[in-house]
Amino acid sequence: MREAIELEAGGRMVRVSSPSKVYFPERGLTKLDVVQYFLAVGDGILGALRERPTTLERWPGGVFEGAKLSTRQDNRGDAFYQKRIPKGAPDYVETATVAFPSGRTADEVCPTEVAVVAWAANLGTLTFHPWPVRRPDAEHPDQLRIDLDPQPGTDYSDAVVVAHEARALLQELGMDGFPKTSGGRGMHLYVPVRPEWDFVQARRAVIAFGRALARRMPDQVTVDWWKEERGERIFIDFNQMARDRTIASAYSVRPRPRATVSAPLAWDEVNDARPEDFDITTMPARFAAVGDLHAGVAEVAYSLEPLLELAARDEKDHGLGDLPYPPEYPKMPGEPLRVQPSRRATFD
């Protein structure tokens, strides 16, 4: 295994240890390949992360067969989420303080330059999970992130159909979204908003949006939180807008054998694009050719009022209030019983 090398990253030299360590055996891709990929798309990944508290998804042993990610229930995995700045971080790695649903706080990595991305990649970070807030105001999201999550029996092509109708609905509300592949089977739409509403309101807005979309496409879209109710539909995962829930940033590498990446798309290429088209070997040339297709996310900010008005009408006219939070959350005001439908009789 080669000795450590140094790479230039935005005017800084960043050390890469064990650069020849294989991270993606199926492709023969190494740690050095991963770091160089992030540098090649540096302006794009930094645009997605700049000034945002960011959880690092670290795979220090690479993505080998049988490797798994540690969870809250089982911390014996080969990879893990780093929610606090690692000890020994260079002084140019800045932080932002965030509050978790439990009330505890943490100083998370807050990227301000591409050297921070390269440093994190050297630690085995493949996927960056930025909060939908910026450091100056960590209580008020400036992005709605709409996660189009294919359920069993559906795939990316189904998410594409839903994405177009989602955009049409956004435009009717005076808004627009920026699409990207998730790097897996799904799609994400980013909707930039003014940071004037809190996490509860932002989540409520996404619920209202999901319900409106489900009314338009009842056989294709669901906001049912319980898997047993979703069927073969695209799930609008509204809880991705809950505090401390994040999705993979644009340009993040996904821990899949092909080393796919989450790729920003133009709307006119959504139909023909496929998640497997974008990986760490193909994305640098694409980025050089088309630039950062999500740069516009930082150039506009919409009001959340149209969606909050829709939420208010749902509640007044249809009795549709809140939906369940993730299981690790404390009981939230107005939240319905957090029990799956097939077990509710036990609690009645």
Side-chain angles (χ1 to χ4, degrees), residues 82-248:
Q82 179 100 44
K83 291 194 173 186
R84 289 173 170 80
I85 184 170
K87 293 181 179 179
D91 58 10
Y92 61 79
V93 179
E94 300 183 25
T95 63
T97 301
V98 291
F100 301 126
S102 64
R104 294 180 296 108
T105 61
D107 293 330
E108 287 206 335
V109 171
C110 185
T112 55
E113 55 182 286
V114 73
V116 177
V117 178
W119 162 81
N122 178 60
L123 295 181
T125 303
L126 298 180
T127 309
F128 293 84
H129 295 266
W131 284 47
V133 300
R134 292 191 184 272
R135 179 165 52 176
D137 187 354
E139 292 299 313
H140 297 92
D142 67 346
Q143 296 173 348
L144 293 187
R145 296 170 178 175
I146 300 171
D147 184 2
L148 308 182
D149 185 7
Q151 299 305 290
T154 64
D155 57 21
Y156 177 81
S157 63
D158 297 294
V160 165
V161 173
V162 173
H164 286 296
E165 189 63 30
R167 188 191 192 197
L169 175 56
L170 285 170
Q171 291 179 328
E172 290 171 20
L173 295 167
M175 312 167 84
D176 206 350
F178 292 78
K180 70 181 183 71
T181 67
S182 67
R185 298 189 309 129
M187 287 191 67
H188 301 149
L189 304 182
Y190 277 32
V191 182
V193 297
R194 299 197 299 269
E196 299 173 5
W197 297 272
D198 62 21
F199 278 98
V200 171
Q201 291 168 308
R203 177 179 173 275
R204 191 79 174 92
V206 174
I207 290 173
F209 179 83
R211 283 172 167 157
L213 196 58
R215 284 193 287 269
R216 292 183 178 216
M217 311 177 76
D219 296 328
Q220 296 160 284
V221 174
T222 180
V223 290
D224 290 322
W225 175 245
W226 305 106
K227 292 182 179 180
E228 64 189 45
E229 294 186 313
R230 293 178 191 171
E232 294 183 1
R233 293 180 286 181
I234 300 298
F235 172 51
I236 309 299
D237 191 353
F238 54 88
N239 269 332
Q240 294 292 26
M241 277 308 303
R243 179 188 292 273
D244 190 32
R245 294 297 285 257
T246 57
I247 59 180

